Amino acid sequence: MLDFIIMGMVLEKELTGYDIKKEVTNSIGNFYKASYGRLYPALNSLTDKGYLSMNEKMQGKRQKKYYKTTALGQEAFLEWLAAPLDPNMGGEAQLARIFFYGELPQETRDKRLQEYEFYAGQYLQQLQNIEKSVTVENLSDKDYFGISTLYYGLQLAHSQLRWFKCIREKKPFTEFLQKHDG
């Protein structure tokens, strides 16, 4: 996934490895972490594969390497971005893809977001079915804390569904936050 994140970050502008790390930290860093130890090998690998170009430029007294996505890299990136949803994909991978959905044609983006909504709805239904079979009276501490994770999942699933609908309909963020807080 880091390879695609890198290609997305340098799709339209040249950045150094340091700048890519900073962009990741300041944008998708709330749900995805990229260390320099993983970033630089990925940059080298993507350059070797022809997905990134690298230009060296003098900046002050230092020679710096700048990276940008090539046409081949852009093709691979957009293919990854537009691929049908894998329902087993973790939340981190889902958010990384959605972060770049502005690069997709609206029709493809809408289709993928509807898939996310569908699978989130199925997951919510599974949790609700489990909830029906749970007895919540007179619980031991062990059972209480175990069952509390079910209710966390239910709350998260409801929130995800609202969020998917909000972004698919491109509603103002303030509207989503009002619904979420309310």
Side-chain angles (χ1 to χ4, degrees), residues 16-28 36 39:
T16 65
Y18 174 81
D19 292 332
I20 294 168
K21 170 76 165 88
K22 197 163 65 172
E23 289 274 329
V24 169
T25 300
N26 293 334
S27 58
I28 64 174
Y36 287 113
L39 179 69

Side-chain angles (χ1 to χ4, degrees), residues 96-153:
R97 284 172 80 174
I98 292 170
F99 179 83
F100 294 106
Y101 269 18
E103 301 293 338
L104 287 175
Q106 183 174 346
E107 183 179 327
T108 304
R109 180 177 58 232
D110 289 347
K111 184 175 182 179
R112 295 300 164 246
L113 288 171
Q114 286 172 350
E115 288 173 358
Y116 280 115
E117 273 186 88
F118 174 78
Y119 287 116
Q122 280 191 322
Y123 180 64
L124 175 61
Q125 186 61 55
Q126 288 173 347
L127 293 176
Q128 288 170 332
N129 289 341
I130 293 169
E131 180 187 29
K132 290 176 186 174
S133 67
V134 170
T135 304
V136 294
E137 291 83 31
N138 301 320
L139 296 173
S140 68
D141 282 350
K142 178 182 173 185
D143 290 338
Y144 175 83
F145 287 101
I147 291 172
S148 72
T149 61
L150 169 65
Y151 287 96
Y152 173 81

Side-chain angles (χ1 to χ4, degrees), residues 2-170:
L2 178 59
D3 288 357
F4 295 110
I5 290 170
I6 291 170
M7 287 188 285
M9 291 292 172
V10 294
L11 202 55
E12 297 175 4
K13 60 185 173 185
E14 284 189 329
L15 296 172
T16 65
Y18 174 81
D19 292 332
I20 294 168
K21 170 76 165 88
K22 197 163 65 172
E23 289 274 329
V24 169
T25 300
N26 293 334
S27 58
I28 64 174
N30 62 332
F31 61 85
Y32 185 83
K33 306 294 182 229
S35 68
Y36 287 113
R38 289 180 46 223
L39 179 69
Y40 285 104
L43 287 169
N44 291 332
S45 174
L46 289 167
T47 303
D48 290 346
K49 292 176 183 174
Y51 292 151
L52 297 181
S53 62
M54 188 273 294
N55 295 310
E56 294 189 55
K57 299 177 186 176
M58 286 299 290
Q59 190 175 49
K61 294 182 180 183
R62 295 190 56 179
Q63 185 92 352
K64 293 201 170 190
K65 295 179 180 180
Y66 287 83
Y67 300 89
K68 184 151 181 13
T69 305
T70 63
L72 180 64
Q74 183 175 358
E75 183 180 322
F77 172 77
L78 292 174
E79 186 176 302
W80 166 76
L81 197 58
L85 173 68
D86 175 359
N88 298 316
M89 185 186 325
E92 180 181 284
Q94 290 175 352
L95 289 173
R97 284 172 80 174
I98 292 170
F99 179 83
F100 294 106
Y101 269 18
E103 301 293 338
L104 287 175
Q106 183 174 346
E107 183 179 327
T108 304
R109 180 177 58 232
D110 289 347
K111 184 175 182 179
R112 295 300 164 246
L113 288 171
Q114 286 172 350
E115 288 173 358
Y116 280 115
E117 273 186 88
F118 174 78
Y119 287 116
Q122 280 191 322
Y123 180 64
L124 175 61
Q125 186 61 55
Q126 288 173 347
L127 293 176
Q128 288 170 332
N129 289 341
I130 293 169
E131 180 187 29
K132 290 176 186 174
S133 67
V134 170
T135 304
V136 294
E137 291 83 31
N138 301 320
L139 296 173
S140 68
D141 282 350
K142 178 182 173 185
D143 290 338
Y144 175 83
F145 287 101
I147 291 172
S148 72
T149 61
L150 169 65
Y151 287 96
Y152 173 81
L154 283 163
Q155 185 175 2
L156 189 60
H158 281 290
S159 181
Q160 282 180 326
L161 277 171
R162 283 193 306 270
W163 183 73
F164 285 130
K165 186 174 194 276
C166 177
I167 65 171
R168 185 175 46 79
E169 295 174 0
K170 291 180 76 174

